[in-house]
Each structure stands twice: as structure tokens, then as C-alpha cells.
Amino acid sequence: VALQTTQYVSGNKIYAYSSSYDVPSYQPARVVVNDIELANTNSRGHTMVVTNSYGDLVSVTTYDTYGSGAAVTALATALNVILPVSVY
């Protein structure tokens, strides 16, 4: 499956593309902000790209979640840091 999207957030143009190896036109996962490529990875699992409100790169971290409970937990922890969940 190939997925791609372009979103505008806080005035920043964010383009993300990802596919799996079984897609005939497979390409590495990419994240482009304001026409500047911030991530291009062939790694399996999930890659989290964090930017500031100006679209500047803060960090890129890949979590090999394929068969690794520890990597899934690490990804969930990282997501909770940047997207805290409120319980009402």
C-alpha cells in the first residue's frame, strides 16, 4: 500500500509519502516540509519526524516496530511526549 498526503499546518506545507515493499513502484518513506526534505528512509517500522512551528527539523527517529514490543512502547512514549492525551 502506498500512502501520500499534503497538509498545511500553521502555514507550513507538509508532504508525507510511505509505501510497503510489495508496491510495484516502491519508494522510501519521505517527509518534506516547505519543499525541504527532512526524512528519506528505507527502514522498516515507523519514522517520527518532529518539527517546530516554523517547519524546522527538531528530530527524526525510526522505531523498528516489526516484532519488537520495546520499539512499540518507545514509539508510544515518544508520541505521548509530543501529543499528551487529556482524560476528562
Side-chain angles (χ1 to χ4, degrees):
V1 173
L3 301 169
Q4 69 180 24
T5 186
T6 300
Q7 300 287 320
Y8 292 87
V9 179
S10 299
N12 294 300
K13 177 183 174 186
I14 302 171
Y15 168 80
Y17 174 88
S18 183
S19 71
S20 61
Y21 288 114
D22 59 347
V23 173
S25 60
Y26 170 77
Q27 296 177 24
R30 298 177 62 218
V31 174
V32 179
V33 177
N34 298 327
D35 300 321
I36 298 171
E37 186 171 81
L38 299 183
N40 186 327
T41 180
N42 259 337
S43 299
R44 68 181 186 182
H46 297 81
T47 299
M48 183 169 68
V49 178
V50 178
T51 67
N52 62 21
S53 61
Y54 302 105
D56 301 322
L57 181 65
V58 173
S59 66
V60 176
T61 308
T62 299
Y63 300 89
D64 185 358
T65 54
Y66 183 74
S68 171
V72 171
T73 300
L75 174 59
T77 300
L79 287 170
N80 284 325
V81 168
I82 61 169
L83 301 169
V85 176
S86 297
V87 177
Y88 296 97

